[in-house]
Amino acid sequence: MAEAMSSFLLTSAFRAAAAATTARLARSAITTAAVSATRGPSAIALASASKQGLIKVEGVREYQVRASIKPRCEHCYGVVRKGRRYILCKKDPKHKQRQG
């Protein structure tokens, strides 16, 4: 009886540890994706996490990558970051462009 009880406790402890590890890994993936997405245009981790169903992303629009970028309206403005040219727009996020 004692042997059966100890194996049951061991099994339940193993299941609890496995569940905790899985939850911790999911949280770390979400945190890593959120942190890397807030640090710049490197949204690869965020896109990966959203495709895996770990997080839900709404309202994040990627850049249109083009060889030649131009302002599309009067609210568009250009910036240069890390050697890349960008066009950003405060009115319409569809106008976001990146050169190269």
Side-chain angles (χ1 to χ4, degrees), residues 35-51:
V35 168
S36 66
T38 57
R39 288 188 181 161
S42 166
I44 295 169
L46 182 62
S48 170
S50 66
K51 285 180 184 174

Side-chain angles (χ1 to χ4, degrees), residues 30-82:
I30 292 170
T31 305
T32 304
V35 168
S36 66
T38 57
R39 288 188 181 161
S42 166
I44 295 169
L46 182 62
S48 170
S50 66
K51 285 180 184 174
Q52 293 174 6
L54 297 174
I55 57 173
K56 186 174 179 184
V57 179
E58 292 182 11
V60 176
R61 187 171 281 281
E62 294 184 14
Y63 289 97
Q64 299 171 4
V65 180
R66 299 184 172 178
S68 175
I69 57 174
K70 303 171 205 158
R72 293 175 62 184
C73 69
E74 61 187 25
H75 304 286
C76 293
Y77 62 97
V79 294
V80 178
R81 295 180 185 153
K82 298 181 183 177

Side-chain angles (χ1 to χ4, degrees), residues 80-97:
V80 178
R81 295 180 185 153
K82 298 181 183 177
R84 291 195 173 172
R85 293 171 158 184
Y86 295 92
I87 297 288
L88 304 173
C89 186
K90 293 186 178 185
K91 273 281 202 216
D92 194 350
K94 290 181 182 179
H95 294 179
K96 282 174 44 173
Q97 303 168 56

